[in-house]
Amino acid sequence: MTETTIRLATPEDLTALLSLSLALAAERGLDAPRDADDLMRRLFIAPGCRVLVARQGGAAVGHALLRLDSDTGRAGFDLAELFVQPLHRGQGIGRRLIAAARALTEAEGQVRLRLKNLPGARGTALRLGEGAAATGYPR
């Protein structure tokens, strides 16, 4: 199996991220980005957005979108999107994207990562510093 790498996305990933975003929108009935410029504004120009991209053999196979949220009084990120292409599911890529999102949240000094609008998550919050056993997600 080809190694999967996960890293912070850059504007050079825009074409791959557009493909992933369109697939996510079609699968979940969400509003799709109109074009690459629209997605650029949503992901890289909007304040407080971070995007992680998972790649196998150079091809983008998944992504995670984090948005900074300080409205709750506890600064942190909302994991607003998590998507893995159907052919690559069942390999732990989603769990690795969540773990990378948690590591990014900690690295940026935030106190919480909330899983928002994700199937099965129901607004679960990962409070940093708590054990992974309490949340069911990797630390």
Side-chain angles (χ1 to χ4, degrees):
M1 182 182 343
T2 305
E3 180 182 356
T4 302
T5 59
I6 297 175
R7 63 171 173 74
L8 197 59
T10 67
E12 287 76 30
D13 295 305
L14 193 59
T15 300
L17 290 169
L18 180 58
S19 176
L20 292 170
S21 293
L22 292 173
L24 170 68
E27 182 176 288
R28 299 207 186 127
L30 304 173
D31 289 332
R34 290 186 306 274
D35 53 29
D37 289 337
D38 182 34
L39 189 62
M40 178 72 150
R41 283 188 294 280
R42 290 184 190 194
L43 301 183
F44 297 107
I45 297 173
C49 284
R50 307 290 184 277
V51 183
L52 296 166
V53 62
R55 290 188 168 270
Q56 278 186 356
V61 298
H63 77 279
L65 171 62
L66 291 83
R67 289 196 178 105
L68 193 59
D69 171 35
S70 58
D71 291 341
T72 60
R74 296 191 66 207
F77 282 109
D78 287 337
L79 183 58
E81 291 180 6
L82 178 68
F83 181 74
V84 176
Q85 291 179 339
L87 290 175
H88 298 279
R89 293 178 185 166
Q91 300 175 24
I93 296 169
R95 290 177 84 64
R96 289 189 54 210
L97 280 164
I98 292 171
R102 184 178 187 139
L104 178 64
T105 301
E106 289 175 334
E108 292 203 11
Q110 302 301 322
V111 296
R112 117 181 117 62
L113 174 64
R114 184 172 58 176
L115 309 184
K116 185 177 180 181
N117 300 325
L118 300 178
R122 296 192 185 118
T124 300
L126 303 181
R127 287 167 204 74
L128 304 184
E130 293 180 0
T135 61
Y137 292 101
R139 186 155 163 66

